[in-house]
């Protein structure tokens, strides 16, 4: 007997018969499936022939994809006008569904009203949120999807509702197997026997929009997953969205407490759900995702079989694995949940902040741990994109949080498209300060991402924010991953796991926004004007060597970190037309560092001398070779050691190459570089001369000679 386990289900592969016998098959005993041999790879001589084979395979694949697109040419697209035409003339159907929804939601609203009048609205939030979750489940697929969407909207729902609705699962009753098999044959224009040598007698998973079977392709013997759309789903969700949109108009008109455009949110959400109904689109999403992110050895994305895919049927490579929330099963294979979650976090950061194309529904059922230790992404129906400006603004937002620059954080919401430019952010600043001053008592890396989301959610809920759909989906993605990690380790911090990626991007990315964010992070009390890609304008006060060291320590943990690229963006800015203020500070810091190195060497030499030589050379001075206070001496040594540690970090990088200094030497040969070098040398000469004169005269240390 050939048994396969997937996600807690065990089942056999049964030979295909006609769809008329589907129900009988479901009741039959498990029978061994005899897989056909996979055809051997075509042989050819010479690399040119191999290249022709690859090109030919790619051409065949493109043609198969085109045929699949032709099969889905009539796939439904969300259109409010079309829904109005289809359902506006069906009063009986509308009335029946309206009553069903009103009874369910009306009773819920009545309970809220009673709670409010009795003054227990806040105390009962958790209880009512759980009731709403159960109501959405009973009302069917549209409301399950709606509840999942609301679980990512901190500008609409209080935190208790966000938490309860996030637990909504797509597990709904299955539809008859006969209907599923009939749909496959109708959509693909082929009999089941001609496509598969075997197929599971019942679905191995069921969701709100469809259900999945495990099968074996007849032509190759390859095991595949076949997703079949739920019959009548378009009719059901079309009717619901028509009614929900009407409610949205009423909310916009009469409910003042909700400042977000509810109709626009409904249209955005409905459009995404309708996209999920087109399985060819989902296949294309999977291919794009695979091309962007499956280049890492620890990420797996299943391939698509276009010849057996249509608008309502999706055939993709079968992935053997365990759901990411099944910790015991994962660890029994010698794998660690935290390693897999960290892989998911790093991949998600690349999705959100590098290419901007991301998986918007990474719940545990869509993330599998394979026996080889890879993290497999499944279900690409709901995808989203992060606008380019927002990608950099998010990283800048983290920098401002580290700096506790709440005015800048508030202004970031313009670039993130949370607020329209005419909204005054000054009232929001105290709310941000109140929350983060308390949350940041510990280091940022110790913060829990959910704590930040809940705190920001409370702020968003109180002020006129309009959270873009992409950002709500980002929050959902990261909170789901952190939830999985916290289940395995209550002390896991997703921000700490994210630091290496942020540090690498700040140190190596030449984008003007990130370049300015890096400079701001490295200088105390920096302030931007915060116009995206604006000329560099910042009040530079003091260089933070400890932050640079920490960035390098964290950035080196990222596998893509390049020592050669580190700090090159700042170097280019330094010698550019906008870097005059930065050049002034760099000269100051260069002088301080050089002095620290020279004086540190003198101190080390003095400490290594025998006592009699110290007396001879320094005439018995008990103050040592330099007239410096203990505090000043400590600062000199600390600065010198910190600079040496930073250089050591660069040198010890895996891809360190001494030629990384070549761009600096080339820059110094340019007119601007020679001028800068001359100013540095002049400053160092003056500083050391003043220090030497001070030692000769043995006068008390002055402020001008201080290392500060």
């Amino acid at each position: 007997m050939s048994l396969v386990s997937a996600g807690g289900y065990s089942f056999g592969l049964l030979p295909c018969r006609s769809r008329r016998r589907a129900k009988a098959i479901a009741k039959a005993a498990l029978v061994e499936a005899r897989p056909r041999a996979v055809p051997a790879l075509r042989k050819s001589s010479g690399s040119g022939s191999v290249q022709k084979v690859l090109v030919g395979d790619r051409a065949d694949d493109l043609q198969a994809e085109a045929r699949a697109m032709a099969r889905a040419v009539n796939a439904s697209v969300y259109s409010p006008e079309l829904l109005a035409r289809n359902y506006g003339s069906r009063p009986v159907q509308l009335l029946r569904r309206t009553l069903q929804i009103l009874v369910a939601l009306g009773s819920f609203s009545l309970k809220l009203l009673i709670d409010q009048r009795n003054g227990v609205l806040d105390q009962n939030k958790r209880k009512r949120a759980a009731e709403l979750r159960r109501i959405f489940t009973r009302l069917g697929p549209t409301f399950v999807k709606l509840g999942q969407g609301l679980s990512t909207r901190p500008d609409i729902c209080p935190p208790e509702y966000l938490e309860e609705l996030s637990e909504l699962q797509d597990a709904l009753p299955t539809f008859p197997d006969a209907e599923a098999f009939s749909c496959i044959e109708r959509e693909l224009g082929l009999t089941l026997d001609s496509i598969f040598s075997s197929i599971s007698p019942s679905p191995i998973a069921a969701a709100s929009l469809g259900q999945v079977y495990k099968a074996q392709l007849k032509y190759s013997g390859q095991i595949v997953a076949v997703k079949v759309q739920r019959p009548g789903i378009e009719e059901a969700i079309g009717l619901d969205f028509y009614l929900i949109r009407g409610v949205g108009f009423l909310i916009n008109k009469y409910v003042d407490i909700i400042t977000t455009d509810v109709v626009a949110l409904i249209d955005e959400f409905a459009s995404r759900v309708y996209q999920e109904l087109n399985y060819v689109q989902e296949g294309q999403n999977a291919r794009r995702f695979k091309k962007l992110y499956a280049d890492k050895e620890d990420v797996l994305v299943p391939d698509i079989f276009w010849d057996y895919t249509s608008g309502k049927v999706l055939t993709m490579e079968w992935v053997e694995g365990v759901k990411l929330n099944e910790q015991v099963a994962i660890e029994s294979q010698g794998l660690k949940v935290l390693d897999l979650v960290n892989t998911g976090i790093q991949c998600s950061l690349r999705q959100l902040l590098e290419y901007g194309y991301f998986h918007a529904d990474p719940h545990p059922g869509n993330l599998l741990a394979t026996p080889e230790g890879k993290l497999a992404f499944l279900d690409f129906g709901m995808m989203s994109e992060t606008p380019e400006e927002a990608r950099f603004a998010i990283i800048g937002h983290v920098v401002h949080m580290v700096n506790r620059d709440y005015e800048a954080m508030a202004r970031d919401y313009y670039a993130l498209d949370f607020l329209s430019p005419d909204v005054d952010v000054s009232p929001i600043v105290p709310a941000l300060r109140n929350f983060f001053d308390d949350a940041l008592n510990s280091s940022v890396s110790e913060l829990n991402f959910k704590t930040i989301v809940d705190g920001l959610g409370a702020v968003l809920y109180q002020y006129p924010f309009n959270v873009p759909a992409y950002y709500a989906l980002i929050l959902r993605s990261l909170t789901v991953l952190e939830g999985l990690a916290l289940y395995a380790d209550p002390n896991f911090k997703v921000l700490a796991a994210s630091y290496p990626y942020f540090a690498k991007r700040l140190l190596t990315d030449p984008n003007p926004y990130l370049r300015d964010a890096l400079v701001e992070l490295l200088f105390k009390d920096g302030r931007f004007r915060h116009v995206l890609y604006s000329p560099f304008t910042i009040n530079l006060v003091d260089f933070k060597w400890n932050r640079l060291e920490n960035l390098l320590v964290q950035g080196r943990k990222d596998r893509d970190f390049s020592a050669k690229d580190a700090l090159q963006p700042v170097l280019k800015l330094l010698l550019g037309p906008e870097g005059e203020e930065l050049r002034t500070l760099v000269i100051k810091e260069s002088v301080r560092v050089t002095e620290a190195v020279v004086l540190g060497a003198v101190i080390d030499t003095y400490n290594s001398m025998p006592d009699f030589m110290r007396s001879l050379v320094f005439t018995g001075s008990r103050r040592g070779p330099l007239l410096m206070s203990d505090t000043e001496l400590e600062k000199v040594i600390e600065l010198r050691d910190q600079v040496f540690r930073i250089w050591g970090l660069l040198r010890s990088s895996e891809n360190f190459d001494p030629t990384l200094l070549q761009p600096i030497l080339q820059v110094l040969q340019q007119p601007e570089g020679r001028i800068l070098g001359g100013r540095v040398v002049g400053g160092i000469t003056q500083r050391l001369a003043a220090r030497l004169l001070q030692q000769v005269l043995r006068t008390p240390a002055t402020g001008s000679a201080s290392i500060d």
Side-chain angles (χ1 to χ4, degrees):
M1 185 95 42
S2 176
L3 291 175
V4 184
S5 176
Y9 296 93
S10 293
F11 54 88
L13 297 181
L14 299 180
C16 289
R17 299 294 184 264
S18 69
R19 55 189 171 85
R20 290 188 295 273
R21 297 190 58 198
K23 291 187 177 181
I25 292 176
K27 299 177 182 178
L30 299 180
V31 179
E32 181 180 7
R34 300 179 182 274
R36 296 167 59 92
V38 178
L41 183 66
R42 284 177 284 174
K43 296 182 179 180
S44 57
S45 59
S47 59
S49 298
V50 173
Q51 184 69 21
K52 289 180 181 179
V53 170
L54 295 176
V55 172
D57 289 344
R58 176 60 179 157
D60 292 343
D61 187 68
L62 290 174
Q63 292 174 6
E65 182 179 356
R67 291 192 294 270
M69 293 174 64
R71 286 190 288 270
V73 68
N74 293 322
S76 297
V77 177
Y78 177 69
S79 168
E81 296 77 14
L82 184 60
L83 292 183
R85 288 198 300 269
N86 287 345
Y87 300 105
S89 59
R90 303 183 191 180
V92 175
Q93 188 178 7
L94 288 174
L95 180 60
R96 186 185 303 116
R97 182 58 174 169
T98 300
L99 288 175
Q100 185 181 5
I101 296 172
L102 286 179
V103 169
L105 297 182
S107 61
F108 175 77
S109 301
L110 182 61
K111 291 178 181 179
L112 288 181
L113 183 60
I114 294 173
D115 286 347
Q116 186 176 28
R117 291 193 174 183
N118 293 337
V120 293
L121 187 63
D122 289 337
Q123 295 93 311
N124 286 348
K125 271 185 180 179
R126 177 70 61 184
K127 178 181 177 181
R128 299 302 176 219
E131 289 181 11
L132 183 61
R133 172 173 53 81
R134 291 191 290 270
I135 288 171
F136 280 168
T137 302
R138 288 198 305 270
L139 286 175
T142 308
F143 284 86
V144 170
K145 286 290 184 184
L146 180 62
Q148 290 178 336
L150 287 174
S151 71
T152 69
R153 305 299 309 206
D155 54 334
I156 297 177
C157 297
E160 293 83 358
Y161 283 79
L162 295 176
E163 196 165 321
E164 283 292 333
L165 293 177
S166 67
E167 296 180 8
L168 275 172
Q169 298 295 323
D170 277 350
L172 295 175
T174 63
F175 58 91
D177 300 308
E179 293 187 30
F181 297 155
S182 176
C183 178
I184 294 174
E185 293 186 337
R186 184 173 59 253
E187 286 288 307
L188 301 181
L190 298 168
T191 64
L192 224 58
D193 287 338
S194 66
I195 304 172
F196 308 115
S197 59
S198 57
I199 192 167
S200 57
S202 58
I204 54 116
S208 58
L209 303 184
Q211 57 195 35
V212 180
Y213 294 85
K214 183 176 183 180
Q216 186 177 50
L217 292 177
K218 194 167 188 177
Y219 85 95
S220 66
Q222 187 159 358
I223 303 299
V224 294
V226 185
K227 183 158 71 170
V228 186
Q229 195 170 110
R230 189 176 292 272
I233 190 69
E234 295 181 27
E235 179 77 10
I237 68 171
L239 176 61
D240 284 345
F241 277 125
Y242 175 72
L243 293 173
I244 293 171
R245 198 168 188 271
V247 175
F249 277 111
L250 296 178
I251 293 175
N252 279 351
K253 187 173 183 180
Y254 298 110
V255 182
D256 295 332
I257 193 174
I258 297 179
T259 58
T260 302
D261 186 346
V262 177
V263 173
L265 287 179
I266 293 171
D267 287 341
E268 169 71 22
F269 178 70
S271 177
R272 292 187 182 279
V273 173
Y274 267 78
Q275 288 177 17
E276 287 190 69
L277 292 177
N278 185 349
Y279 286 173
V280 171
Q281 179 64 56
E282 179 176 346
Q284 292 173 326
N285 293 343
R287 277 290 179 88
R288 181 180 176 188
F289 190 90
K290 183 182 182 76
K291 181 179 179 181
L292 290 176
Y293 308 115
D295 58 331
K296 302 300 180 186
E297 59 185 14
D298 45 13
V299 173
L300 175 65
V301 178
D303 207 356
I304 305 299
F305 294 85
W306 292 114
D307 281 329
Y308 309 114
T309 294
S310 71
K312 297 182 180 181
V313 176
L314 175 64
T315 302
M316 62 196 315
E317 178 184 358
W318 176 263
V319 177
E320 198 70 53
V322 180
K323 291 181 181 179
L324 211 55
N325 60 348
E326 297 180 2
Q327 183 177 359
V328 175
I330 290 175
E331 292 180 349
S332 67
Q333 300 182 44
L335 305 175
K336 294 182 179 179
V337 174
L338 289 182
D339 289 344
L340 292 160
V341 170
N342 192 55
T343 296
I345 290 171
Q346 299 305 316
C347 185
S348 294
L349 290 171
R350 291 183 68 205
Q351 294 174 46
L352 303 176
L353 303 176
E354 204 161 317
Y355 297 107
Y357 185 70
F358 66 95
H359 194 298
D361 193 22
H363 63 72
N366 290 338
L367 297 171
L368 298 183
T370 72
E372 299 79 22
K374 294 186 177 184
L375 179 65
F377 284 80
L378 306 177
D379 194 346
F380 300 91
M382 185 175 288
M383 309 294 290
S384 189
E385 297 195 49
T386 313
E388 184 179 22
E389 292 184 359
R391 297 177 219 162
F392 305 121
I394 291 171
I395 298 178
H397 201 59
V398 173
V399 172
H400 301 145
M401 182 176 68
V402 172
N403 285 353
R404 303 193 186 206
D405 189 347
Y406 304 120
E407 291 84 1
M409 286 183 70
R411 289 192 294 270
D412 284 335
Y413 296 130
Y414 294 134
L416 290 169
D417 202 25
F418 280 24
L419 297 170
S420 60
D422 58 337
V423 174
D424 180 18
V425 296
S426 55
I428 302 170
V429 174
L432 292 172
R433 180 177 290 109
N434 291 338
F435 169 69
F436 280 105
D437 275 349
D438 181 55
L440 291 173
N441 283 335
S442 57
S443 68
V444 175
S445 63
E446 290 299 311
L447 282 178
N448 185 296
F449 185 77
K450 185 178 182 300
T451 301
I452 294 179
V453 172
D454 289 345
L456 283 177
V459 174
L460 300 181
Y461 186 65
Q462 297 175 38
Y463 295 95
F465 281 85
N466 180 27
V467 179
Y470 75 85
Y471 192 78
L473 294 171
I474 287 173
L475 295 184
R476 178 182 182 180
S477 299
L478 293 179
T479 50
V480 166
L481 288 168
E482 183 175 62
L484 291 170
L486 292 175
Y487 182 76
D489 178 7
N491 297 317
F492 183 85
K493 306 299 180 185
V494 73
L495 285 178
S498 304
Y499 254 29
Y501 178 85
F502 278 97
K504 179 206 69 175
R505 288 292 301 277
L506 282 173
L507 287 169
T508 61
D509 200 310
N511 177 270
Y513 197 104
L514 297 187
R515 177 201 64 191
D516 289 357
L518 173 61
V519 174
E520 181 177 5
L521 183 64
L522 294 179
F523 294 95
K524 187 178 180 180
D525 298 329
R527 292 293 184 269
F528 275 110
R529 289 181 182 171
H530 288 284
V531 178
L532 196 59
Y533 304 150
S534 65
F536 178 75
T537 52
I538 185 171
N539 179 25
L540 302 176
V541 179
D542 191 19
F543 191 77
K544 305 293 288 184
W545 288 97
N546 59 324
R547 286 183 178 171
L548 175 57
E549 182 179 4
N550 184 56
L551 282 176
L552 286 169
V553 169
Q554 295 296 328
R556 278 161 38 93
K557 297 177 182 178
D558 188 277
R559 67 174 63 184
D560 296 326
F561 176 78
S562 171
K564 184 176 182 180
D565 296 333
L567 300 179
Q568 290 298 319
V570 176
L571 180 63
K572 293 178 181 178
L573 172 64
L574 173 65
L575 299 168
E578 302 166 0
E580 177 57 35
E581 191 173 359
L582 181 60
R583 285 194 288 272
T584 300
L585 188 61
V586 166
I587 292 170
K588 172 188 172 184
E589 290 299 320
S590 299
V591 172
R592 289 181 65 234
V593 169
T594 304
E595 182 187 41
V597 171
V598 172
L599 297 183
V602 172
I603 294 169
D604 289 345
T605 302
Y606 175 80
N607 291 334
S608 65
M609 287 181 176
D611 290 340
F612 76 92
M613 289 188 64
R614 296 181 188 177
S615 301
L616 291 174
V617 177
F618 297 102
T619 64
S621 172
R622 285 178 290 179
R623 296 294 304 275
L626 303 172
L627 191 61
M628 301 173 67
S629 67
D630 291 340
T631 301
E632 187 179 8
L633 182 62
E634 289 176 3
K635 288 184 177 181
V636 168
I637 299 301
E638 180 183 358
L639 177 60
R640 190 271 309 267
D641 291 347
Q642 199 159 41
V643 172
F644 283 176
R645 285 198 303 271
I646 290 171
W647 174 241
L649 287 170
L650 289 172
R651 289 188 61 189
S652 61
S653 298
E654 290 184 6
N655 55 359
F656 175 80
D657 185 345
T659 58
L660 70 86
L661 297 176
Q662 187 173 354
I664 300 178
L665 298 176
Q666 292 175 347
V667 166
L668 291 176
Q669 294 174 5
Q670 299 175 4
E672 297 84 355
R674 288 197 295 269
I675 294 173
L676 178 63
R679 292 169 65 183
V680 171
V681 171
I684 293 172
T685 302
Q686 293 177 12
R687 184 93 170 201
L688 292 178
R691 179 70 71 180
L692 178 61
L693 182 61
Q694 174 187 337
Q695 300 307 314
V696 170
L697 299 177
R698 307 299 287 179
T699 58
T702 63
S704 61
S706 171
I707 196 69
D708 292 333

